[in-house]
Amino acid sequence: MENRPYHIAILVTCHNRKTKTLAALRTLYAAVKNYNDSNSQQVVARLYLTDDGCTDSTVEEVLVTFPEQDIHIVQGDGNLFWAGGMRLAWQAAMQDNRSWDFYLLINDDTIFHEDALTELINTHDYAQQTYNKGGVYAGIVSSMDGSEITYGGKRYAKGIFGKSTSILPNGKPQECLMTNANILLVSQNVVDKIGILSNSYRHSCADWAYGIDANRAGLPVLVTGKICGRCDNDHDSEEHERKKILAMTIRQRWNYFSSPVHSTLDILTFMGRYNRLKFIFVIIARFLNIIAPNLYYNLSRRRNTQ
């Protein structure tokens, strides 16, 4: 029984990023092979890929490129966005009624290092030895050029002006509060206790919330000791965002912040649950950013220089 394979459900959602999706899966499968080549306890993986309305033949190319892999396509309608697509994939994996050991959530624009799976399972071993239970493990991710840490785990300062800070790798697992799901390994016992991603979020914040919920449930939430992959931060810089917002009309700004990708509702839901002191501040700030962006950015500059 000691060498029973690890059964891992890989969860991905995609929408018209064929080249990135193929690159992510190619490097992921290389990481799985590297692990299996180096360990007697093997990994058996099945991919659950949510096709959220792709029109660029992403799914067809995935099936042609990886014919030897166990792949299950979950059909979306183009309106699920990230959180919705990941929930659908996760639900499909659970409905398969297999004895999963882990669920591996990934973003389809993340390039995996060859030893990524080794790092994740080493982190699980650390959790079992240290806490005597499985947990949630965020793989630390750097920019494509390796110059900065872009995703992984974060610590969060409470209060009105609280900010999150990325945890830097130091060679061993570290506790964190918030998690990014660019590379996120979740033990089955975590799902048994807190379930899957909350259906309160349509696109963003669901992975942040999952790490916090696991922490609150007394489960270990850790980042890996080493960098597991590469992915550039795809969010606009503060300066680029400022220029874009100032160039919009009020209606355009309203529509922009109402869209799922920049959802005011997602961030307010998150703040309402985890930082109530900041909740009202976020409402006021978003309102100002829509009707009086110059005032908003002037106040923001003052706050950042204090």
Side-chain angles (χ1 to χ4, degrees):
M1 289 300 292
E2 184 178 339
N3 286 325
R4 184 186 72 83
Y6 286 127
H7 292 271
I8 301 181
I10 302 168
L11 314 178
V12 190
T13 189
C14 64
H15 177 75
N16 289 346
R17 299 202 294 189
K18 179 170 61 178
T19 299
K20 289 184 176 182
T21 303
L22 290 170
L25 293 179
R26 190 174 291 112
T27 58
L28 167 64
Y29 285 129
V32 173
K33 183 179 185 302
N34 180 67
Y35 181 86
N36 284 340
D37 287 345
S38 307
N39 294 274
S40 59
Q41 188 170 15
Q42 301 285 282
V43 161
V44 176
R46 189 180 203 206
L47 172 65
Y48 293 84
L49 178 64
T50 297
D51 169 15
D52 193 24
C54 291
T55 58
D56 66 347
S57 72
T58 296
V59 172
E60 292 82 355
E61 287 292 328
V62 166
L63 295 174
V64 168
T65 305
F66 307 105
E68 74 284 4
Q69 301 297 340
D70 187 3
I71 298 174
H72 177 71
I73 304 302
V74 186
Q75 194 59 56
D77 60 4
N79 294 298
L80 292 172
F81 294 88
W82 184 82
M86 295 302 282
R87 282 193 299 269
L88 197 64
W90 208 332
Q91 289 162 353
M94 294 172 68
Q95 288 166 3
D96 253 357
N97 199 28
R98 301 192 182 191
S99 297
W100 300 115
D101 295 293
F102 303 102
Y103 302 89
L104 177 59
L105 287 67
I106 72 171
N107 270 11
D108 69 342
D109 59 350
T110 302
I111 299 298
F112 285 73
H113 286 182
E114 194 174 54
D115 63 349
L117 195 59
T118 301
E119 279 298 309
L120 290 165
I121 292 180
N122 285 347
T123 306
H124 172 68
D125 292 341
Y126 174 88
Q128 292 282 20
Q129 295 163 10
T130 306
Y131 307 95
N132 200 31
K133 64 181 80 172
V136 179
Y137 319 117
I140 294 180
V141 176
S142 76
S143 57
M144 296 301 286
D145 63 8
S147 64
E148 63 175 327
I149 299 303
T150 50
Y151 299 102
K154 296 178 182 292
R155 296 188 177 98
Y156 187 75
K158 292 183 178 181
I160 294 178
F161 301 119
K163 290 187 176 182
S164 60
T165 56
S166 294
I167 298 174
L168 304 181
N170 68 358
K172 62 182 181 181
Q174 302 173 72
E175 293 182 353
C176 69
L177 179 63
M178 294 162 54
T179 51
N180 295 125
N182 292 68
I183 302 175
L184 189 69
L185 188 67
V186 179
S187 302
Q188 177 63 54
N189 66 290
V190 175
V191 179
D192 291 340
K193 191 160 188 178
I194 68 171
I196 67 173
L197 297 178
S198 171
N199 60 11
S200 299
Y201 306 96
R202 189 173 181 188
H203 181 69
S204 63
C205 300
D207 50 349
W208 296 354
Y210 199 76
I212 296 175
D213 288 342
N215 267 287
R216 289 182 170 182
L219 297 161
V221 182
L222 306 169
V223 295
T224 53
K226 299 179 182 178
I227 294 172
C228 289
R230 291 171 286 132
C231 180
D232 286 332
N233 189 329
D234 61 357
H235 300 91
D236 289 335
S237 67
E238 290 185 11
E239 181 60 21
H240 187 270
E241 175 91 351
R242 184 186 71 82
K243 290 179 179 179
K244 184 165 63 175
I245 295 300
L246 289 174
M248 295 179 184
T249 64
I250 290 180
R251 180 176 292 277
Q252 288 171 331
R253 288 192 288 270
W254 176 267
N255 291 336
Y256 178 80
F257 288 119
S258 298
S259 69
V261 176
H262 306 96
S263 174
T264 297
L265 182 58
D266 279 352
I267 192 66
L268 287 179
T269 299
F270 178 83
M271 289 300 171
R273 290 182 176 177
Y274 306 112
N275 192 342
R276 293 182 181 176
L277 284 175
K278 198 172 181 179
F279 178 75
I280 298 299
F281 177 80
V282 171
I283 293 177
I284 295 170
R286 185 55 56 88
F287 181 72
L288 280 178
N289 208 2
I290 292 173
I291 66 165
N294 277 308
L295 176 58
Y296 168 83
Y297 287 113
N298 285 335
L299 291 173
S300 181
R301 279 199 200 95
R302 289 185 187 179
R303 176 170 67 88
N304 290 335
T305 57
Q306 287 178 351

